Amino acid sequence: MIIFIFSTVLRPMNRSRTTVTEFVLLGFPGSWETQLVLFSLLLVIYILTLLGNGAIICAVLWDQRIRTPMYILLGNFSFLEIWYVSSTVPNMLANFLSKTKAISFSGCFLQFYFFFSLGTTECLFLAVMAYDRYLAICCPLHYPTIMTGRCCATLVSFCWLVGFLGYPVLIFLISQLPYCGSNIIDHFLCDMDPLMALSCVPAPITQLIFYAQSSLVLFLSIMYILTSYTLVLRAVFQVPSATGRRKAFSTCGSHLMVVSVFYGTVMVMYVSPTYGIPTLLQKIVTLVYSVMTPFLNPLIYSLRNKDMKCALKAVLCSMRSSQRL
């Protein structure tokens, strides 16, 4: 419903202001054989990403033993990752096999909107998950009274609402710029810099607001995460039991790995200046945080978490027994 309304708003207003009706996403260069290899590799990664994140969602839904705020947040995070990777990969797969590599005007800006909204939601989810770990380790006695089901639902709703309400106006304004020249985007997705480069009229204020907002979300969330885990690590070192320290490190280590990969690559693209970075390297960096991070998250969380591994085994056993019946 949201996609339909957004696309119908974009189409009529842009036809009268621009001669560009579609964009061409060049994607990754190479021969037809190279495109087939990339298509096959990305298809396998996409399927495994869906299966891995879907397995975590099923484990959280079906196993009552892990129906706790930590795993509820993880299940929602996996749900988010499925949508995040799906905002770009299906179109990439189609372009690998396409000769024109075209995407419609409204489709381009829809991808732009969902890609940034889901990315912002992911930043907020990582911050909320850090808050959950801080409460669990630094305030264990107050954790059950603070992180209730209602509080968890409120935090999840906050992440989704802020992520999706932060960009509609800005992206709508960018879509109304006149695109009267080239329609070729040297990327595999519709991103801010390539679109602004194709506009016939500069919009420095809109561009400044867009990057200021993105940078603010990144810096505030990463600073909150770092502060939370600084306090967590200080509390962990004070735990007398070696077993307790290992368990806390295992839980927090998984989260820190995800944070490091995601924020490290995102900041290269949207905080540091990219004009000196080769186009191919920009594509690879974007591919890491948009495709590889959702692919690695289930492996990181399941392989380093004993409770999650037990829950996944229980889900697989129940599926096998139901198939036999």
Side-chain angles (χ1 to χ4, degrees), residues 257-270:
M257 289 175 65
V258 174
V259 167
S260 300
V261 174
F262 180 76
Y263 277 95
T265 51
V266 168
M267 284 184 155
V268 169
M269 288 300 300
Y270 299 108

Side-chain angles (χ1 to χ4, degrees), residues 232-269:
V232 166
L233 291 175
R234 188 176 68 176
V236 167
F237 283 120
Q238 295 174 355
V239 175
S241 169
T243 304
R245 286 197 298 270
R246 282 196 300 269
K247 185 176 181 180
F249 272 123
S250 176
T251 303
C252 298
S254 302
H255 191 192
L256 286 174
M257 289 175 65
V258 174
V259 167
S260 300
V261 174
F262 180 76
Y263 277 95
T265 51
V266 168
M267 284 184 155
V268 169
M269 288 300 300

Side-chain angles (χ1 to χ4, degrees), residues 24-29 184-189 194 279-280 283:
V24 176
L25 296 172
L26 295 183
F28 290 94
I184 298 176
I185 297 177
D186 192 7
H187 211 318
F188 60 81
L189 55 79
T279 303
L280 181 59
K283 295 177 185 179

Side-chain angles (χ1 to χ4, degrees), residues 73 76-77 80-81 116-132 147 152 154-167 213-222 224-225 228 255 259 262-263:
L73 290 173
N76 278 275
F77 185 69
L80 166 67
E81 293 290 62
F116 271 89
S117 296
L118 291 166
T120 301
T121 306
E122 179 156 349
C123 291
L124 298 175
F125 257 107
L126 290 172
V128 167
M129 292 166 75
Y131 172 68
D132 174 73
M147 189 58 73
C152 187
T154 301
L155 291 173
V156 169
S157 301
F158 170 80
C159 293
W160 284 103
L161 287 174
V162 173
F164 275 82
L165 295 178
Y167 288 99
Q213 178 176 315
S214 301
S215 299
L216 185 65
V217 171
L218 285 172
F219 276 118
L220 288 181
S221 57
I222 190 63
Y224 183 84
I225 291 170
S228 298
H255 191 192
V259 167
F262 180 76
Y263 277 95

Side-chain angles (χ1 to χ4, degrees), residues 66-87:
I66 61 171
R67 195 71 63 80
T68 61
M70 171 184 170
Y71 292 104
I72 291 173
L73 290 173
L74 178 57
N76 278 275
F77 185 69
S78 296
F79 179 74
L80 166 67
E81 293 290 62
I82 289 176
W83 285 102
Y84 186 48
V85 74
S86 297
S87 68

Side-chain angles (χ1 to χ4, degrees), residues 43-324:
L43 179 61
V44 171
I45 292 175
Y46 181 57
I47 293 173
L48 292 177
T49 301
L50 298 182
L51 292 176
N53 285 285
I56 290 179
I57 296 172
C58 292
V60 174
L61 290 175
W62 293 350
D63 197 327
Q64 296 291 335
R65 294 172 297 177
I66 61 171
R67 195 71 63 80
T68 61
M70 171 184 170
Y71 292 104
I72 291 173
L73 290 173
L74 178 57
N76 278 275
F77 185 69
S78 296
F79 179 74
L80 166 67
E81 293 290 62
I82 289 176
W83 285 102
Y84 186 48
V85 74
S86 297
S87 68
T88 56
V89 172
N91 187 73
M92 287 174 60
L93 292 173
N95 279 352
F96 280 130
L97 303 180
S98 172
K99 293 183 179 180
T100 60
K101 300 183 183 297
I103 183 172
S104 67
F105 189 95
S106 57
C108 181
F109 280 94
L110 281 173
Q111 184 188 69
F112 185 22
Y113 169 68
F114 281 102
F115 181 70
F116 271 89
S117 296
L118 291 166
T120 301
T121 306
E122 179 156 349
C123 291
L124 298 175
F125 257 107
L126 290 172
V128 167
M129 292 166 75
Y131 172 68
D132 174 73
R133 290 301 84 206
Y134 163 76
L135 287 178
I137 295 174
C138 299
C139 310
L141 297 179
H142 299 287
Y143 181 78
T145 58
I146 298 176
M147 189 58 73
T148 60
R150 177 177 293 182
C151 178
C152 187
T154 301
L155 291 173
V156 169
S157 301
F158 170 80
C159 293
W160 284 103
L161 287 174
V162 173
F164 275 82
L165 295 178
Y167 288 99
V169 174
L170 286 173
I171 293 179
F172 178 77
L173 291 175
I174 296 171
S175 72
Q176 299 310 299
L177 295 173
Y179 295 91
C180 51
S182 173
N183 66 338
I184 298 176
I185 297 177
D186 192 7
H187 211 318
F188 60 81
L189 55 79
C190 295
D191 206 349
M192 180 66 177
D193 285 340
L195 286 171
M196 294 302 295
L198 296 182
S199 173
C200 303
V201 177
I205 296 178
T206 302
Q207 196 169 4
L208 178 63
I209 295 174
F210 185 92
Y211 279 114
Q213 178 176 315
S214 301
S215 299
L216 185 65
V217 171
L218 285 172
F219 276 118
L220 288 181
S221 57
I222 190 63
M223 290 305 297
Y224 183 84
I225 291 170
L226 292 176
T227 302
S228 298
Y229 275 101
T230 300
L231 298 174
V232 166
L233 291 175
R234 188 176 68 176
V236 167
F237 283 120
Q238 295 174 355
V239 175
S241 169
T243 304
R245 286 197 298 270
R246 282 196 300 269
K247 185 176 181 180
F249 272 123
S250 176
T251 303
C252 298
S254 302
H255 191 192
L256 286 174
M257 289 175 65
V258 174
V259 167
S260 300
V261 174
F262 180 76
Y263 277 95
T265 51
V266 168
M267 284 184 155
V268 169
M269 288 300 300
Y270 299 108
V271 178
S272 62
T274 59
Y275 54 81
I277 302 177
T279 303
L280 181 59
L281 183 58
Q282 292 185 34
K283 295 177 185 179
I284 294 173
V285 171
T286 305
L287 192 70
V288 170
Y289 71 80
S290 64
V291 178
M292 295 308 298
T293 301
F295 168 68
L296 293 175
N297 283 351
L299 298 176
I300 293 172
Y301 281 113
S302 60
L303 293 179
R304 294 179 59 87
N305 191 298
K306 183 179 179 181
D307 294 334
M308 181 55 67
K309 284 191 288 186
C310 293
L312 290 173
K313 289 179 181 178
V315 170
L316 291 175
C317 290
S318 63
M319 291 176 63
R320 289 176 181 175
S321 60
S322 62
Q323 288 178 354
R324 291 173 183 174

